[in-house]
Amino acid sequence: MTVLTGPAPMANSEQMANAIRALAMDAVQQANSGHPGAPMGMADMAVALWGRHLRHNPQDPHWADRDRFVLSNGHGSMLLYALLHLTGYDLPIQELKNFRQLHSKTAGHPEVGVTPGVETTTGPLGQGLTNAVGMALAEKLLAAEFNQAGHTVVDHHTYVMLGDGCLMEGISHEAVALAGAWRLSKLVALYDDNGISIDGQVAPWFIDNTPKRFEACGWNVIGPVDGHDADAVDKAIAKARAQSAKPTLIVCKTHIGKGSPNRANTSKAHGEPLGAEEIALTRAALNWPYAPFEVPAEVYADWNAKEAGAQAQAEWSQRFAAYRAAFPELAAEFERRMAGDLPKHFAQTAVDAVVEAHTKGDTVASRKASQIALEAFTAKLPELLGGSADLTGSNLTNTKSTPALRMDAKGAVAKTEDGQIGRHINYGVREFGMAAVMNGIALHGGFIPYGGTFLTFSDYSRNAIRMAALMKQRVIHVFTHDSIGLGEDGPTHQSIEHAASLRLIPNLDVWRPADTAETTVAWSVALSNRDKPTALLLSRQNLQHLSALAPKRNLGDISRGAYVLSEPKDVGLKKKAQAVIIATGSEVQLALKAQRLLAAKKIAVRVVSMPSTTAFDREDVKYKKAVLPTGVPRIAVEMGVTSGWWKYGCAAVIGIDTYGESAPAPVLFKHFGFTEENVAATVLAALKRK
């Protein structure tokens, strides 16, 4: 269904574009910082898209069936801020005057959750394009799941503008290939092909045949078209919308800094203010005789999308009301999922899963424990959308409730015999792309994405993980093979610094559970984290269930990140702890065994399991002191770099500050000192020093 929310093609499209150019150069000049060239060059493209095609309602930026727009080349943020201001979003002119200033709604790069109408935080090039792929995939899957005959409630496009820098970043290759494989026909990308980057003309270092590259990945390619001819871009967008087989790339030839007599087509227009003299010359060249930040009323009127947006949303609301009358359960489920609310039964589902894991007491690898937990959660939460970077058989992210996502011969989402859509994605060997696609899925709404790979490859995903944390998105990363315990693959695959590195990312929850119960709790917390992503670090090797060594532990405290697992009295000593051993993951069983060795020597030790340092660090001081009492030596044990553990006031840390080795896991444990005997000896040495 096509609903136009802006004006039809009109004679003053040029003035509409010039308003963007003027606001961009004025804001950058006032801030004495920013990128005026891209907004000035892309202004006519914006007129075609935002003025004639984009379905959105400035008065309700979160309308579920709005078109999504992503500015992947986020350094051109003034393009988006000008559009939001001009079309009627809650972004007054004063905010444009405060461009790049502290606490303004117009940060240097667009930030979701800060500026109304911004769909994703962009700036790291290539990720916006990949987020858009995730958004388009979410739309396609939701449409396949919820739309019914005669009732279409999910029907919107995803548009993304991008530049040369986005296409140079390697992640763009991953994203483009996935979009083509998934036949995302409602994804339209507009390429600002101006041939300029910070270092100048890109020709010496960027010789890709971009149209052929996209065609090879299964895209529909239109152009080149004149990016300064709004009517030509308008027709290209209409052509893209008319086809239903492939995603579309529209190649728009433009001039960076369009209108600037001396800066257009140069890198000088890219990342610095034009200067007062050049701005005056540009105003004259554009026939824009208005003062800085002044836009004439007739141009505001041409841009205003409030009335048309409200009408488009009202029409959708009528369709949704009819849908609700015909399919009340589906309508309620759609609203719940788009709101990001977990089902009412989730708390009980989580409790049941944890109790079952504890009762069964399986001795399995924590990667298998994760799959067991996922079996319970995916059966009850249809919004869980899993995947793997070509390692499904190793990271075990698939379940009985999550058939593989596949497209049929016509490009539609294939369904199982009982009508279910695929909920497990084969991302291929594309960790970075997977992570950024998951961010786009989460931003779109309707799904909670999770995806798996080896922990050592989290380095490939890291910037997208950081972006999820910055954007406060519920995205779950399943990282298996979390230590030297993976054995013979050697140091290239053995994670040493990765746990510590991930823990440094603000607003990222990191869990390294020790058995099935802790793993299930970690999953329940991750699913409950509405405003942060989670990384689950899981073992390849089997882990003895802790109930065999610590039968009296309190399951209710696991979610707090650290808890007292075993006291001296649990191993037959009726006295206060003389030392505390802190351990995570596979090393917790070593701590418990060392506790028993020391008990035989009448040395009283408390064992603390700390599956999540990030969760524990959020606890209050009272709880922290209750778990880690003052005046008692603390010894941490983890198969990774030692640096992050000293903040807990440790007397000693048993870790690895070198790379691993290639050998069977048991040999490596002994070689690097991860034995109960060495843990016990380290405790004794710490007590002697005290």
Side-chain angles (χ1 to χ4, degrees), residues 279-302:
I279 287 177
L281 293 173
T282 304
R283 274 187 153 77
L286 294 175
N287 191 26
W288 188 262
Y290 309 105
F293 297 103
E294 181 182 340
V295 177
E298 60 269 23
V299 175
Y300 271 121
D302 288 335

Side-chain angles (χ1 to χ4, degrees), residues 590-640:
L590 290 181
L592 290 168
K593 292 174 181 177
Q595 179 195 37
R596 296 187 177 201
L597 289 179
L598 291 164
K601 298 180 180 182
K602 306 303 181 184
I603 303 296
V605 170
R606 168 186 285 186
V607 175
V608 169
S609 177
M610 192 178 287
S612 177
T613 62
T614 52
F616 179 67
D617 289 349
R618 293 194 297 270
E619 289 291 331
D620 58 39
V621 173
K622 182 179 179 181
Y623 182 75
K624 290 178 180 177
K625 286 185 176 181
V627 174
L628 301 176
T630 57
V632 181
R634 303 165 187 173
I635 296 85
V637 188
E638 185 174 61
M639 294 184 194

